[in-house]
Amino acid sequence: MANPPYASPSAGLPPQTALHAGRAVFTEAYAVIPHGVMRDIVTSYLPHWTETRAWVIARPMSGFSETFSQYIMEVFPGGGSAQPEPDKTAEGVLFVVTGQANLTIDGKAHLLKPGGYAFLPPSCVWTLFNKGTEPVRFHWVRKRYEAVEGIETPPAFVANEQDEPIIWMPDTANTWGTTRFVDPQDLRHDMHVNIVTLEPGASIPFEETHVMEHGLYVLEGKAVYRLNRDWVEVEAGDFMWLRAFCPQACYAGGPGRFRYLLYKDVNRHMKLGGVLK
């Protein structure tokens, strides 16, 4: 099966004749970063990465993402890093959308093509380079791993979404489903990065309101998404952040599939604030 198309940033700059009609929204409960604002001028450069730039679309900060950061990395031919991760407590997930990445994990080589997925546990030794002739773009989701006494740290692994089945939700006639790379009941993992697929006309037919923080990057298609009190139009290349308990629902109204890369924090007790007396 051929890889489906995956959206990635527009880059460049819009012409001076372009009208400002953006869809960017930042609220106390959610944010929408549309693909049209992911331009050259908002890229970042990271230590120990060569011929590389990044669109930072989520970072821990007050009033925004609390548990994770998410970058869209662009590595040009000959670029990459032998020291990619500065934080030994951080775990990561890579998901390739264009090009090919030469990844090594603890000395073992892997070639990640579009749809390629890698889980990187904390303290693992990994490198990534672009040995091809075209730029490679990939998502890099980072989270500080929450260790639990008596539960081992999960090992690194590499997969491709083309080799993983879509698990369809019950009573949806195979129109709404999730591609999972980790067993939801595997308590070694404290985050999931999955792919959600909705066929044309499918919906999330109720307002999900629950404890997980969400990051949703639209890989393909378009939909109308319920975020807190608002219905928002989203399409390929847009990013949505939802804080815990932000109501969400969805209607996939486009001519093709609506698919997004989904981050959420899972499988851990809630941290208790304040001081007990």
Side-chain angles (χ1 to χ4, degrees), residues 86-104:
D87 187 343
K88 291 185 178 181
T89 70
E91 60 187 328
V93 163
L94 311 180
F95 182 78
V96 175
V97 293
T98 63
Q100 297 185 2
N102 294 89
L103 173 69
T104 66

Side-chain angles (χ1 to χ4, degrees), residues 163-212:
D163 301 323
E164 305 297 329
I166 298 176
I167 307 301
W168 299 105
M169 297 289 283
D171 303 320
T172 64
N174 292 0
T175 60
W176 169 25
T178 302
T179 303
R180 297 189 177 99
F181 298 92
V182 171
D183 183 342
Q185 298 186 49
D186 184 345
L187 296 183
R188 296 176 300 175
H189 288 273
D190 67 349
M191 75 168 175
H192 291 164
V193 179
N194 300 326
I195 296 174
V196 175
T197 298
L198 287 94
E199 300 288 357
S203 68
I204 299 175
F206 67 105
E207 293 182 336
E208 291 187 46
T209 308
H210 58 121
V211 70
M212 297 170 186

Side-chain angles (χ1 to χ4, degrees), residues 58-178:
R59 56 165 290 184
M61 58 182 278
S62 177
F64 190 47
S65 163
E66 295 181 349
T67 61
F68 75 108
S69 67
Q70 186 164 346
Y71 312 153
I72 303 172
M73 304 287 288
E74 183 174 49
V75 183
F76 294 94
S81 179
Q83 299 175 264
E85 176 55 74
D87 187 343
K88 291 185 178 181
T89 70
E91 60 187 328
V93 163
L94 311 180
F95 182 78
V96 175
V97 293
T98 63
Q100 297 185 2
N102 294 89
L103 173 69
T104 66
I105 306 174
D106 294 328
K108 184 176 181 180
H110 306 272
L111 182 63
L112 296 185
K113 299 180 179 181
Y117 182 108
F119 171 74
L120 306 165
S123 297
C124 80
V125 178
W126 63 281
T127 67
L128 188 145
F129 291 95
N130 181 356
K131 298 181 180 179
T133 58
E134 301 293 333
V136 58
R137 286 181 172 179
F138 60 92
H139 288 259
W140 181 7
V141 180
R142 302 170 66 234
K143 180 182 183 296
R144 181 165 291 168
Y145 183 69
E146 296 182 53
V148 176
E149 183 178 357
I151 297 178
E152 65 181 8
T153 303
F157 69 87
V158 171
N160 191 293
E161 74 129 331
Q162 293 297 293
D163 301 323
E164 305 297 329
I166 298 176
I167 307 301
W168 299 105
M169 297 289 283
D171 303 320
T172 64
N174 292 0
T175 60
W176 169 25
T178 302

Side-chain angles (χ1 to χ4, degrees), residues 1 3 9 11 22 24-25 33 43 63 74 83 103 107 123 135 155 166 170 176 184 190 199 226 258 261 264 267 276:
M1 182 186 298
N3 290 100
V25 178
I33 304 176
T43 55
E74 183 174 49
Q83 299 175 264
L103 173 69
S123 297
I166 298 176
W176 169 25
D190 67 349
E199 300 288 357
R226 177 77 172 188
F258 177 64
L261 188 70
K264 54 187 179 180
N267 295 341
L276 296 177

Side-chain angles (χ1 to χ4, degrees), residues 48-65:
H48 302 300
W49 285 84
T50 62
E51 298 298 321
T52 300
R53 61 181 182 173
W55 286 270
V56 179
I57 55 177
R59 56 165 290 184
M61 58 182 278
S62 177
F64 190 47
S65 163

Side-chain angles (χ1 to χ4, degrees), residues 216-245:
L216 292 77
Y217 183 87
V218 182
L219 296 170
E220 181 183 356
K222 57 184 179 180
V224 181
Y225 216 94
R226 177 77 172 188
L227 298 170
N228 200 18
R229 303 180 184 91
D230 308 315
W231 285 99
V232 178
E233 291 181 300
V234 292
E235 62 183 1
D238 293 350
F239 176 74
M240 294 173 276
W241 163 78
L242 290 67
R243 74 180 309 164
F245 299 108

